[in-house]
Amino acid sequence: ENDNSSSMYFNLSSSLPFDNYSSSTQPEAMEEENPLFSNLDLFLFTLIAGLIIYWFMSRKKAEPIPEFKKLNQPAPSTQETSFIEKMKKTGRNIVVFYGSQTGTGEEFANRLSKDAQRYGMKGMAADPEEYDMSELSRLAEIGNSLAIFCMATYGEGDPTDNAQDFYDWLQETDGQLNGVNYTVFALGNKTYEHYNAMGAYVDKRLEELGAKRVFDLGMGDDDGNLEEDFVTWREQFWPAMCEHFGVEASGEDSSVRQYELKEHNDINMNKVYTGELGRLKSFETQKPPFDAKNPFLAPVTVNRKLNKAGDRHLMHLEVDITGSKIRYESGDHVAVYPTNDTVIVNKLGQILGVDLDSVISLNNLDEESNKKHPFPCPTTYRTALTHYLDIIHPPRTNVLYELAQYATDPKDQENMRKMASSAPEGKALYQSFVLEDNRNILAILEDLPSLRPPIDHLCELMPRLQARYYSIASSSKVHPNSIHICAVVVEYTTKTGRLTKGVATTWLKNKLVADNGHKSTVPMYIRKSQFRLPFKASNPVIMVGPGTGIAPFMGFIQERGWLKEQGKEVGETALYCGCRHKEEDYLYQEELEEAEKAGVITKLNVAFSRDQEQKVYVQHLLRTNKEDLWRQIHTDNAHIYICGDARNMARDVQTAFYEIAEELGGMTRTQATDYIKKLMTKGRYSQDVWS
């Protein structure tokens, strides 16, 4: 506050004309006649005295200039920012910090803090964004204490939004963490270049600062079976902790409720949440700035099918951000909050025999917790299942374990508990029954007729429904008040014969633009990205984006066209995109051919993978144009951009670039790999990929 209020101080020497007024400039003859102080002297003296008095008075009550909130940062609150004081006050010795973008890291942290009870310890899950992490060194003040970090990696090896400040602090601090016990479980995906980079960095850096690693780094791979990785690590971790701290497990594996149900029979419906994420009624009275806790309801102005034929539905949507003060750049992501299918919500209500319109609150039994409710309360079961809870993903093992007690058939109960264990038989059962058969919570209830849990316990255990991110398919230079989305509707039949639909893409598909002027809205906000066009427009760009991976490049092409119109020198713009059949799903064909005609795209390369016997993909086209590409990269300082599937496409494209560097740069594979890695470090090889 002092730093802010210092800007209120007056710089008297510059605001008053001391230097301009001097009695020595007056004629000498006048000096004798004038009184000691002239009227002007008295006026200035009074003015200065008044200003000094005003300054002293106002200094005490000067309001600090408010700082602008960072995007996605929660509003300041009165909650305790010292996790050490909180732990001391509530008798806890384990703190579990989480870096979480999609909620899984937070979920794992909650499970670990709950586990502590079984070992006669007390844990708390904590968001590093809400606490002063420089207090970590004080953890040694608490006996038998331990810090656990569940850290997810986001994007290109980056920290999650809520762990960014913690990451910055770790990089800058030289504080000593002697006497601090810690362990890390990392959440990542092997298909990405920087697999578990954040977890590995935290693990290494804490040791460098003098903290003691009491259990090995756990590596969770979402491309394989993240849940199994976590359960296996956790089942080895706790016995090791018991040994380390000399404690014994109480053996109580029973379910411990975290929230208690309160039913509201007589409540003013204006006080009930209906889907808002932060402030009550925020969808009725929208106030900027818009972020993850306060999304903007953007009207859908265009929703058209992009493909002419085929069994898929590829779509182009445009949402209107007029008057929202939202700014975006080409390459940014738009986050949207979808809602669940009402058919599934209604079926859950029927199978559990509840009135979905009952108004309820789930209140945390731990009054000291920062998290008072698992989702905004009071609300109805219908709203919770529609807006707040993820009911489509196969449930994790802890959900099955906690719900097992409600199964009246002992066999069902045994199997549910078995699936939550790390025994090979249990893991195999979870893998086949839940993951491979892709059973969501409704399918599990349908297939286990003896399982009918109370709906409030089910709601407590289900993870939060997360925002979905899409690469923006427009440029704000050309469309300042509109954001374009390109997506493919996810729809498939599971092994049990159930039709499964993607939550967000099905919801977006149904956001139709009505003829009567009624516009559907999409709750959205912008997430900044590092995926940026070169600062110098004259640098060539090479864009590789098959399928819906073309999205950000539509924005890039619009922007390069706009720069050209402004008379700027624009470098070569090469696009490598692809689809299955030219006559079926050639996305944005007209726009691309027009851009090529106008000279905005200097080389348009399209791979129609299934139009011939031998499949042709973008990496094949890269090899065909290898001389051109090598000149652009090695001589002309080109920037390379890859967007789309991480598992196969991004790897195959990277391999193609290695081969080009080997062949035309006369390098070994190791040298070629280093060469491409250097381009990444310099920001000349960027990826916007998903798995």
Side-chain angles (χ1 to χ4, degrees):
E1 282 190 8
N2 292 343
D3 290 342
N4 287 332
S5 55
S6 66
S7 58
M8 306 288 285
Y9 296 174
F10 289 92
N11 182 346
L12 289 171
S13 63
S14 63
S15 58
L16 291 171
F18 287 134
D19 295 333
N20 298 340
Y21 179 77
S22 163
S23 57
S24 62
T25 59
Q26 305 301 313
E28 281 178 34
M30 288 180 73
E31 278 183 16
E32 291 165 19
E33 299 164 28
N34 282 355
L36 187 58
F37 295 113
S38 71
N39 287 346
L40 188 55
D41 278 329
L42 285 168
F43 170 72
L44 282 171
F45 180 76
T46 312
L47 181 64
I48 293 164
L51 281 170
I52 290 168
I53 291 163
Y54 172 77
W55 177 61
F56 272 109
M57 296 291 287
S58 64
R59 204 174 110 188
K60 287 182 182 132
K61 0 176 244 247
E63 288 275 326
I65 291 174
E67 286 183 34
F68 285 106
K69 275 194 305 182
K70 271 197 211 161
L71 190 69
N72 294 348
Q73 286 242 356
S77 69
T78 52
Q79 70 194 26
E80 178 80 75
T81 59
S82 166
F83 65 90
I84 298 292
E85 293 311 318
K86 189 163 191 173
M87 288 173 77
K88 286 179 175 178
K89 199 160 71 181
T90 56
R92 292 164 206 263
N93 60 328
I94 292 179
V95 58
V96 194
F97 291 107
Y98 56 85
S100 184
Q101 195 70 31
T102 61
T104 312
E106 181 179 0
E107 208 183 306
F108 287 179
N110 281 322
R111 283 161 72 175
L112 289 167
S113 80
K114 234 175 163 181
D115 282 346
Q117 257 175 294
R118 282 164 47 193
Y119 301 94
M121 299 185 250
K122 259 184 111 179
M124 67 179 250
D127 182 344
E129 195 175 41
E130 293 180 359
Y131 293 100
D132 177 2
M133 293 305 287
S134 66
E135 289 213 324
L136 204 51
S137 57
R138 292 184 56 205
L139 195 60
E141 295 170 15
I142 297 169
N144 272 2
S145 61
L146 169 70
I148 306 173
F149 294 86
C150 291
M151 306 308 288
T153 299
Y154 187 71
E156 296 301 291
D158 303 318
T160 56
D161 291 346
N162 77 311
Q164 183 66 55
D165 291 345
F166 172 50
Y167 175 72
D168 294 343
W169 174 77
L170 278 177
Q171 286 193 304
E172 292 156 15
T173 188
D174 48 11
Q176 285 304 299
L177 299 180
N178 299 358
V180 173
N181 297 312
Y182 79 93
T183 188
V184 179
F185 183 81
L187 297 86
N189 186 310
K190 265 208 178 93
T191 58
Y192 288 80
E193 180 75 27
H194 306 278
Y195 172 54
N196 272 330
M198 182 60 181
Y201 173 75
V202 171
D203 183 61
K204 178 172 92 43
R205 185 67 181 133
L206 290 173
E207 186 180 45
E208 287 170 358
L209 293 170
K212 183 183 178 186
R213 183 190 296 107
V214 293
F215 193 70
D216 290 341
L217 167 69
M219 298 285 261
D221 176 20
D222 202 26
D223 186 47
N225 185 338
L226 181 61
E227 176 68 16
E228 187 178 306
D229 295 338
F230 175 67
V231 168
T232 305
W233 178 85
R234 171 179 164 243
E235 296 227 344
Q236 292 166 352
F237 163 72
W238 282 116
M241 283 311 92
C242 288
E243 204 175 313
H244 185 271
F245 291 124
V247 295
E248 275 184 43
S250 64
E252 280 180 40
D253 263 9
S254 62
S255 159
V256 181
R257 288 292 300 261
Q258 209 177 334
Y259 298 92
E260 66 176 348
L261 171 68
K262 179 171 172 42
E263 292 174 325
H264 304 280
N265 298 319
D266 185 22
I267 189 169
N268 177 350
M269 291 310 279
N270 282 327
K271 294 194 165 45
V272 177
Y273 281 87
T274 56
E276 307 93 326
L277 291 140
R279 181 173 55 84
L280 190 66
K281 302 289 175 205
S282 60
F283 286 167
E284 288 176 26
T285 51
Q286 294 248 279
K287 293 176 191 164
F290 297 104
D291 55 28
K293 297 271 166 51
N294 180 36
F296 176 65
L297 287 181
V300 177
T301 54
V302 174
N303 183 351
R304 63 184 168 95
K305 189 175 178 181
L306 286 170
N307 50 318
K308 303 183 197 83
D311 53 4
R312 297 185 303 160
H313 184 100
L314 294 128
M315 56 193 173
H316 170 88
L317 282 94
E318 296 179 17
V319 298
D320 187 0
I321 54 168
T322 306
S324 66
K325 296 197 169 81
I326 288 173
R327 300 280 171 269
Y328 74 95
E329 299 284 326
S330 305
D332 283 343
H333 298 133
V334 58
V336 302
Y337 283 104
T339 57
N340 287 311
D341 185 343
T342 52
V343 173
I344 295 175
V345 172
N346 288 333
K347 277 188 181 171
L348 277 171
Q350 284 162 10
I351 211 164
L352 294 174
V354 291
D355 174 7
L356 291 176
D357 296 309
S358 309
V359 180
I360 55 112
S361 288
L362 287 178
N363 300 325
N364 202 323
L365 290 161
D366 173 6
E367 289 174 6
E368 296 296 328
S369 175
N370 284 359
K371 195 174 180 181
K372 301 300 177 201
H373 315 282
F375 43 79
C377 290
T379 190
T380 64
Y381 286 125
R382 186 182 304 284
T383 298
L385 294 170
T386 306
H387 292 268
Y388 299 138
L389 298 172
D390 181 350
I391 56 175
I392 296 302
H393 274 108
R396 298 199 184 277
T397 58
N398 66 306
V399 176
L400 301 178
Y401 182 84
E402 299 239 359
L403 294 181
Q405 60 184 309
Y406 302 113
T408 53
D409 181 335
K411 191 80 188 126
D412 288 349
Q413 205 171 107
E414 186 194 334
N415 282 335
M416 288 176 77
R417 291 216 165 99
K418 198 187 283 175
M419 283 192 273
S421 76
S422 59
E425 194 192 341
K427 283 181 178 178
L429 184 60
Y430 179 72
Q431 181 70 32
S432 62
F433 183 77
V434 179
L435 299 181
E436 286 169 13
D437 289 353
N438 208 347
R439 280 183 171 87
N440 58 30
I441 192 65
L442 175 63
I444 286 170
L445 293 171
E446 285 174 341
D447 294 346
L448 300 178
S450 91
L451 177 66
R452 293 295 178 262
I455 192 168
D456 60 293
H457 200 175
L458 186 85
C459 289
E460 171 179 323
L461 294 169
M462 299 313 295
R464 283 292 293 269
L465 183 59
Q466 299 294 326
R468 305 307 205 256
Y469 298 96
Y470 295 95
S471 305
I472 295 176
S474 53
S475 162
S476 58
K477 301 284 191 292
V478 182
H479 299 283
N481 293 316
S482 176
I483 286 173
H484 300 183
I485 296 171
C486 170
V488 57
V489 176
V490 177
E491 205 169 277
Y492 56 93
T493 303
T494 68
K495 285 184 178 178
T496 62
R498 292 178 169 95
L499 180 67
T500 297
K501 299 176 179 183
V503 175
T505 53
T506 305
W507 170 79
L508 283 171
K509 179 187 173 186
N510 294 324
K511 293 283 174 185
L512 302 172
V513 182
D515 297 336
N516 63 5
H518 171 74
K519 290 198 174 87
S520 304
T521 57
V522 170
M524 53 72 67
Y525 66 95
I526 298 298
R527 189 180 194 279
K528 294 287 171 201
S529 115
Q530 303 299 315
F531 204 67
R532 289 278 182 269
L533 277 168
F535 182 69
K536 280 170 70 178
S538 57
N539 282 77
V541 300
I542 299 158
M543 305 174 289
V544 185
T548 56
I550 196 170
F553 304 134
M554 294 308 294
F556 281 13
I557 292 160
Q558 288 172 13
E559 191 139 328
R560 300 280 271 188
W562 179 83
L563 288 164
K564 231 173 141 64
E565 280 172 16
Q566 303 300 304
K568 296 270 194 308
E569 186 198 335
V570 177
E572 291 174 81
T573 304
L575 175 67
Y576 292 81
C577 60
C579 57
R580 293 177 183 178
H581 302 282
K582 183 174 183 176
E583 298 308 320
E584 274 188 16
D585 55 1
Y586 183 174
L587 305 185
Y588 299 111
Q589 181 177 358
E590 284 172 28
E591 292 94 323
L592 295 176
E593 288 173 355
E594 216 168 279
E596 187 184 29
K597 217 179 282 172
V600 176
I601 296 176
T602 49
K603 201 160 179 58
L604 176 60
N605 309 274
V606 191
F608 304 109
S609 63
R610 302 182 190 185
D611 272 353
Q612 58 288 308
E613 212 173 306
Q614 282 255 258
K615 286 189 177 173
V616 175
Y617 295 117
V618 282
Q619 60 269 26
H620 300 129
L621 300 186
L622 292 170
R623 290 187 184 99
T624 307
N625 292 313
K626 59 191 176 188
E627 283 86 5
D628 228 9
L629 283 167
W630 184 245
R631 170 188 56 78
Q632 290 169 334
I633 297 164
H634 197 62
T635 312
D636 301 343
N637 243 353
H639 286 233
I640 302 164
Y641 301 91
I642 321 290
C643 182
D645 161 56
R647 186 179 284 110
N648 301 311
M649 183 279 295
R651 279 182 178 177
D652 294 342
V653 164
Q654 206 162 311
T655 304
F657 280 115
Y658 292 158
E659 289 168 2
I660 292 167
E662 274 180 82
E663 191 185 330
L664 297 172
M667 302 178 189
T668 64
R669 175 51 70 100
T670 310
Q671 289 170 327
T673 306
D674 288 346
Y675 183 86
I676 299 297
K677 294 273 196 288
K678 273 207 182 80
L679 292 182
M680 290 178 180
T681 312
K682 289 178 184 163
R684 281 183 51 206
Y685 190 112
S686 306
Q687 300 188 88
D688 177 3
V689 293
W690 54 82
S691 171

